[in-house]
């Protein structure tokens, strides 16, 4: 890979001082190079959430641009979302994916449903909420086997984040996919910002980041159940 890092974090990754995405985020150094994510998360998947054509009249005529919203995730504890605008669809999508990589976060998972108690990190550890514009999203832990009982946009984010079972409720204009996706992303961010005690983490098997389960394996397990 012909990549010359321009940041301190990139140099540490290239030198082998940092070998995992969790360690990279733990440094609190700004993530400004998508190549860092490519190296630390080689199995990263991406998905286009929203693609809109924006037209604007100028003195020289009609100007057309594309607004793209993409998400990225490894299906095992990491999720990111990014937006970009451009004159062409292809470059705009690639730019949105790179922006999503720079906005990647690590989430916590666990077995927070009182109906389950299996002790596996298949769901959320507790209820989290997020909002963007008029959209407010609430995500709750669900027992194993329920699946993702949420809207299509939220389902895409939860799947790429590695959450296999969850209840979801949304209010507001959820037809605005960008706001719906951002609200869901903010809800997932809350799992990493809220503090939990050692006793809670042990009881609900709360883990942060990867647990060794890929998105493909998650799909197979869901089909078997």
């Amino acid at each position: 890979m012909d990549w010359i890092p321009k940041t301190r974090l990139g140099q540490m990754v290239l030198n082998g001082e940092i070998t995992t995405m969790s360690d990279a985020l733990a440094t609190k150094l700004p993530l400004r190079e998508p190549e860092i994510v490519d190296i630390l998360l080689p199995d990263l998947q991406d998905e286009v959430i929203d693609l809109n054509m924006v037209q604007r009249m100028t003195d020289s005529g009609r100007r057309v641009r594309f607004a793209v919203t993409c998400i990225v995730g490894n299906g095992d504890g990491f999720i990111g979302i990014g937006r970009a605008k451009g004159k062409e669809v292809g470059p705009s999508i690639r730019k949105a994916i790179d922006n999503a990589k720079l906005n990647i976060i690590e989430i916590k998972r666990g077995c927070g449903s009182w109906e389950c108690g299996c002790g596996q990190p298949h769901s959320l550890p507790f209820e989290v909420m997020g909002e963007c514009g008029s959209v407010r999203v609430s995500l709750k832990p669900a027992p194993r086997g329920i699946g993702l009982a949420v809207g299509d946009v939220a389902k895409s984010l939860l799947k790429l984040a590695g959450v296999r079972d969850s209840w979801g409720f949304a209010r507001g204009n959820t037809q605005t996919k960008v706001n719906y996706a951002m609200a869901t992303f903010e809800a997932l961010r809350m799992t990493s910002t809220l503090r939990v005690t050692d006793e809670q983490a042990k009881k609900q098997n709360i883990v942060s980041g990867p647990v060794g389960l890929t998105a493909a394996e998650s799909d197979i397990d869901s089909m078997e159940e």
Side-chain angles (χ1 to χ4, degrees):
M1 183 177 181
D2 297 328
W3 169 53
I4 301 177
K6 300 178 181 179
T7 62
R8 180 185 173 188
L9 180 59
Q11 191 66 50
M12 294 172 70
V13 171
L14 190 63
N15 293 339
E17 299 176 40
I18 294 178
T19 57
T20 66
M21 197 68 223
S22 298
D23 293 340
L25 295 177
T27 63
K28 303 298 182 180
L29 294 173
L31 182 59
R32 295 175 179 171
E33 297 177 274
E35 291 84 359
I36 295 175
V37 182
D38 293 334
I39 292 175
L40 300 180
L41 296 175
D43 56 345
L44 203 68
Q45 302 179 35
D46 56 75
E47 183 177 339
V48 178
I49 290 293
D50 187 60
L51 173 60
N52 282 327
M53 184 175 66
V54 182
Q55 296 185 1
R56 179 183 177 185
M57 289 300 298
T58 63
D59 295 339
S60 58
R62 191 183 303 274
R63 183 180 178 185
V64 178
R65 290 172 65 85
F66 296 93
V68 184
T69 303
C70 292
I71 57 174
V72 297
N74 70 333
D76 193 18
F78 293 99
I79 184 70
I81 188 170
R83 303 183 64 193
K85 294 181 180 179
K87 297 180 180 180
E88 299 180 8
V89 176
S92 299
I93 292 177
R94 287 191 291 271
K95 185 177 179 181
I97 292 175
D98 286 343
N99 290 339
K101 292 177 181 177
L102 301 181
N103 197 30
I104 203 164
I105 60 172
E106 180 180 276
I107 69 166
K108 287 188 177 75
R109 289 170 291 170
C111 181
S113 175
W114 62 271
E115 301 173 278
C116 187
C118 69
Q120 299 297 319
H122 63 94
S123 185
L124 298 168
F126 36 72
E127 181 181 0
V128 289
M129 301 182 68
E131 60 179 278
C132 181
S134 67
V135 182
R136 290 174 174 80
V137 173
S138 174
L139 301 175
K140 296 183 178 181
R144 192 173 183 181
I146 289 295
L148 298 175
V150 296
D152 292 338
V153 174
K155 184 179 294 185
S156 296
L157 272 86
L158 290 173
K159 184 178 179 182
L160 284 185
V163 178
R164 300 168 59 190
D165 304 285
S166 175
W167 302 110
F169 306 90
R171 294 181 179 180
N173 187 14
T174 56
Q175 292 183 351
T176 307
K177 292 184 178 181
V178 176
N179 287 354
Y180 192 6
M182 290 299 299
T184 305
F185 182 75
E186 290 304 318
L188 290 173
R189 189 196 298 271
M190 290 295 293
T191 65
S192 60
T193 57
L194 292 177
R195 294 184 179 180
V196 296
T197 63
D198 294 338
E199 182 180 354
Q200 290 174 323
K202 184 177 180 180
K203 182 178 180 181
Q204 301 178 13
N205 194 21
I206 299 176
V207 296
S208 180
V211 295
L213 182 66
T214 64
E217 291 171 341
S218 177
D219 291 342
I220 294 174
D221 289 346
S222 299
M223 291 174 64
E224 291 177 349
E225 293 171 358

